[in-house]
């Protein structure tokens, strides 16, 4: 099984947008595109405030969402709270890729995480013991899945640090977000240092009393900047 890296770590960051699509009377369909990261709750709240009076149902189409971190849970809570306050049903469907995997990790329904849980699930009979070869195969699959989950967790934890470092490079060297990402990646490769470690060093070095960049990171960053004409 090949680990699935979050798209936002290899692509340019995409801001969140929410568009309202024409639907039947009283039904609002909102198409969500971009990343569920810091600030996504404000975008959702604004879109919900603009819904016309008399809206009887709100449906979010999440097909265009390419990345989600912990802010995605707040996004869903905001939508759920709106439904409770206005006494209307709400839903968020069509999850794909990394956001769908995150829903699985936190135990939410991947078809619609806002769907009420079954309080009286049917009691299923215990499965028969698996044959030994099948058990070994399942154990191997479980090990691969745990490695993938750990990879996703590290990627989510690294996201804020990398974004801050990109912002520092953009402000210091007058480069775009995409250029800052490539500079970080090249510095990581040239210094043989993890990307998260390079980003953390840049953030610490930007503080007034922060430590200087490690020698190998400083040289690698200088070379990466020179390649970009900075």
């Amino acid at each position: 099984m090949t680990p699935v890296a979050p798209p936002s770590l290899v692509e340019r960051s995409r801001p969140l947008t929410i568009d309202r699509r024409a639907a039947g009377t009283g039904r609002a369909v909102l198409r969500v595109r971009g990343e569920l990261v810091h600030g996504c709750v404000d975008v959702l709240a604004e879109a919900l405030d603009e819904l016309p009076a008399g809206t009887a149902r709100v449906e979010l189409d999440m097909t265009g969402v390419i990345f989600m971190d912990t802010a995605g849970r707040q996004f869903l809570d905001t939508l759920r709270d709106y439904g409770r306050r206005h006494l209307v049903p709400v839903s968020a469907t069509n999850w794909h890729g990394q956001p769908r995997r995150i829903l699985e990790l936190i135990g939410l329904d991947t078809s619609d995480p806002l769907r009420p849980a079954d309080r009286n699930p049917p009691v299923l009979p215990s499965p028969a013991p698996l044959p030994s070869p099948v058990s070994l195969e399942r154990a191997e699959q479980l090990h691969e899945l745990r490695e993938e989950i750990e990879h996703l967790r590290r990627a989510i934890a690294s996201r804020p640090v990398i974004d801050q470092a990109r912002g520092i490079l953009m402000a210091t060297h007058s480069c775009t977000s995409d250029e800052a990402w490539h500079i970080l990646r090249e510095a990581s490769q040239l210094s043989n240092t993890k990307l998260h470690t390079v980003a953390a060093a840049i953030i610490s070095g930007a503080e007034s009393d922060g430590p200087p960049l490690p020698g190998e990171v400083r040289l690698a960053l200088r070379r990466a900047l020179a390649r970009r004409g900075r």
Side-chain angles (χ1 to χ4, degrees):
M1 181 182 297
T2 303
V4 180
S8 58
L9 294 179
V10 295
E11 297 178 357
R12 185 173 178 176
S13 179
R14 300 182 185 177
L16 185 72
T17 60
I18 300 179
D19 300 321
R20 183 155 59 93
R21 178 167 57 85
T25 304
R27 175 169 164 257
V29 178
L30 305 179
R31 293 194 300 177
V32 186
R33 292 177 294 179
E35 301 178 351
L36 297 186
V37 294
H38 178 71
C40 66
V41 172
D42 295 335
V43 178
L44 174 61
E46 182 178 352
L48 293 175
D49 288 341
E50 293 176 354
L51 292 179
T55 299
R57 181 179 183 84
V58 181
E59 300 175 9
L60 267 64
D61 181 353
M62 311 300 290
T63 304
V65 176
I66 61 172
F67 179 83
M68 179 175 77
D69 63 11
T70 53
R73 188 63 180 267
Q74 300 173 358
F75 181 95
L76 294 173
D77 289 341
T78 298
L79 180 58
R80 181 183 290 107
D81 291 342
Y82 176 90
R84 290 172 178 171
R85 290 197 312 271
H86 294 79
L87 301 179
V88 297
V90 295
S91 63
T93 59
N94 298 328
W95 297 82
H96 301 281
Q98 187 264 2
R100 181 183 178 92
R101 173 66 69 186
I102 295 301
L103 293 179
E104 293 175 350
L105 296 180
I106 59 181
L108 295 180
D109 189 335
T110 55
S111 60
D112 181 5
L114 298 177
R115 179 181 299 168
D118 187 357
R119 297 185 178 180
N120 297 298
V123 179
L124 301 177
S126 300
L130 296 174
S132 180
V134 176
S135 299
L136 292 175
E137 182 180 357
R138 293 289 177 84
E140 182 179 356
Q141 292 175 348
L142 180 59
H143 176 71
E144 293 176 349
L145 181 58
R146 285 174 175 169
E147 288 184 343
E148 181 178 351
I149 291 172
E150 184 59 27
H151 175 83
L152 289 170
R153 287 174 176 168
R154 289 197 301 267
I156 292 173
S158 299
R159 172 63 185 265
V161 176
I162 293 173
D163 282 349
Q164 289 181 49
R166 287 168 68 180
I168 292 172
L169 291 176
M170 291 167 63
T172 305
H173 301 284
S174 300
C175 60
T176 65
S177 176
D178 191 48
E179 288 174 333
W181 161 251
H182 286 291
I183 290 170
L184 275 175
R185 188 174 61 180
E186 287 183 18
S188 171
Q189 294 172 347
L190 291 172
S191 63
N192 195 26
T193 306
K194 290 184 178 180
L195 183 63
H196 177 272
T197 303
V198 173
I202 291 175
I203 294 172
S204 298
E207 298 176 356
S208 57
D209 57 347
L213 290 175
E216 65 277 8
V217 174
R218 183 176 63 256
L219 293 175
L221 184 59
R222 185 180 303 168
R223 291 174 59 187
L225 288 167
R227 289 184 179 182
R228 298 277 166 180
R230 303 294 174 181

